[in-house]
Amino acid sequence: MQPQLDQENSATDGPILTTFLKYLVPSIVGMLAMSSASIVDGIFIGNFVGVSALAAVNLIIPILSVLFGVGLMLSIGGSVRAGKYLGEENTTAASAIFSKILITVVLYAIFIITIGLLFEPFLFRLLGAGEDLIPLMSQYYRVIMPFLLAQLITIVLYFFVRLDGFPTLAATALVIGSVLNIALDYLLIAVLDWGLTGAAWATGLSQLFPLLTLLTYFCSSKRKLHFSLRQKKWSEVFQSAYNGLSEFINEISGGIIALIFNLMLISRAGVEGVAAITVLNYLLMIGFMIFFSISDTAQVMLSQNFGAKNTQRLKQFLNITFAMSCLVSALFIFILLFFNESLIYMFLDVQGTESTVTMATEFLYYIWPVFVFAGINMTISGYLTAVHLPFQSGVVSLCRSLIFPASLLIVLFIVLDDNRFVIALPIGEGLTFLLASVLFLRHKPERIIAEDNVQQQLNLETH
């Protein structure tokens, strides 16, 4: 007998704004906490270890992007699929998806961590690292890699626990990890002077506690999702992965763009150029994580109302999501334009980094327009994922995060002989906005639900 949905799951029947904020606030806190590990590391590394160490960590980003990309793809794709089942009040199917995704991610993590450690020298050279940076990269990489198992499990639990109506527990877990990371960074880097090794241990150890916190979910009698090792229909894992394709594209493309940036800046500006773009990446990460939180919150609401065939609530949640994205865009543009130097100096020691600060400021003035379009683009991509249109969502993500920026970067790097080539990022977002708008207009809520009703009717007739 299936447990029934209770009043805590208000996505399909609760007040629109109250329900959205109930999930959004913990999501923003949780996402910022999740990303704070690398941001806090950057602040301590830049101030206590040096510019070269900051560049070394940035060169590892493409590897981590691939690892986390698969985890996010499975977690988000699986949770959206489970959300549709919850909207249909089919908790057995939702629990099966949860179990299969968790098992798959654990096996994937063990395999990929082993491969990553075995091929470390080859990977570093592939990323363009010189002999001066490879020892620094190894200090961080060899410590952080084994901890990725806990981090990937945490990602799976985070998305499914939120989906099941426990957003506060999910956010609390990530906040605990963030606070511990700050404390350990201070102890291991600033006090004990362990350098990059200390940064890696701080990040790794701090990620164990969010996992332990999320595991308390299994002690709740109110949960609707149940874990079981015995599963059938493993093809649903591939279907979930396909549904989360856009998130994988976003994550892995970020690593590829980081690699392109690193190679270009090493040739044109040296280690200081890589350090400058690293600082800018940290600032952009904060804004993008808030956009992601808004989009991710919308997915929880949209996927369940899509399953419940509630067109009106789909529209209402979309309107709130678009409005929130525009508000955050305006806020971040204001902060970046008027407080840029103060933000940059958070990551760098005042002494001996003037040229890096100058370059970072220059990059920021070229790149800030990404915030005009990024939030809307991520919202549309998230909406398409929530209503089970992974191909369309993947097209938006692929164009936004890889095809447009990569091609424009290469062309502008060849045409321009200074650092203006970084305007490729805002131009790419603008082009993506045009594409995403067309796809959204072609797949509005009322049309999507009508098509899903037709498909279900055809399935019934077939069987």
Side-chain angles (χ1 to χ4, degrees), residues 157-234:
L157 293 178
Y158 172 80
F159 285 105
F160 280 93
V161 167
R162 286 184 68 249
L163 175 71
D164 198 12
F166 296 83
T168 302
L169 173 62
T172 300
L174 299 187
V175 169
I176 290 173
S178 176
V179 172
L180 286 173
N181 185 65
I182 295 172
L184 289 171
D185 268 333
Y186 176 75
L187 174 64
L188 300 179
I189 301 176
V191 177
L192 298 180
D193 196 24
W194 283 14
L196 279 179
T197 302
W201 276 108
T203 300
L205 291 173
S206 65
Q207 294 309 304
L208 296 177
F209 289 89
L211 175 58
L212 294 174
T213 303
L214 287 169
L215 288 176
T216 63
Y217 163 76
F218 293 100
C219 300
S220 173
S221 60
K222 296 181 179 180
R223 64 189 173 95
K224 295 177 285 293
L225 300 177
H226 298 269
F227 177 80
S228 175
L229 282 172
R230 301 182 63 180
Q231 294 296 328
K232 299 178 181 178
K233 294 180 62 178
W234 285 91

Side-chain angles (χ1 to χ4, degrees), residues 337-379:
L337 290 179
F338 291 96
F339 301 96
N340 51 77
E341 192 167 296
S342 299
L343 293 171
I344 291 169
Y345 270 119
M346 285 174 55
F347 296 90
L348 297 170
D349 187 1
V350 177
Q351 300 298 322
T353 57
E354 290 80 5
S355 59
T356 302
V357 172
T358 300
M359 273 191 286
T361 305
E362 181 185 6
F363 290 153
L364 192 147
Y365 277 118
Y366 292 141
I367 289 179
W368 69 262
V370 299
F371 284 104
V372 175
F373 306 107
I376 300 297
N377 290 339
M378 293 173 73
T379 293

Side-chain angles (χ1 to χ4, degrees), residues 108-147:
Y108 159 76
I110 294 172
F111 172 77
I112 206 69
I113 290 169
T114 303
I115 296 298
L117 289 172
L118 288 175
F119 291 93
E120 175 192 317
F122 169 76
L123 291 173
F124 287 177
R125 288 182 173 83
L126 188 65
L127 295 173
E131 295 300 324
D132 55 333
L133 288 180
I134 287 179
L136 290 172
M137 293 170 69
S138 292
Q139 290 178 30
Y140 191 85
Y141 183 81
R142 292 177 183 177
V143 175
I144 201 67
M145 282 295 285
F147 286 106

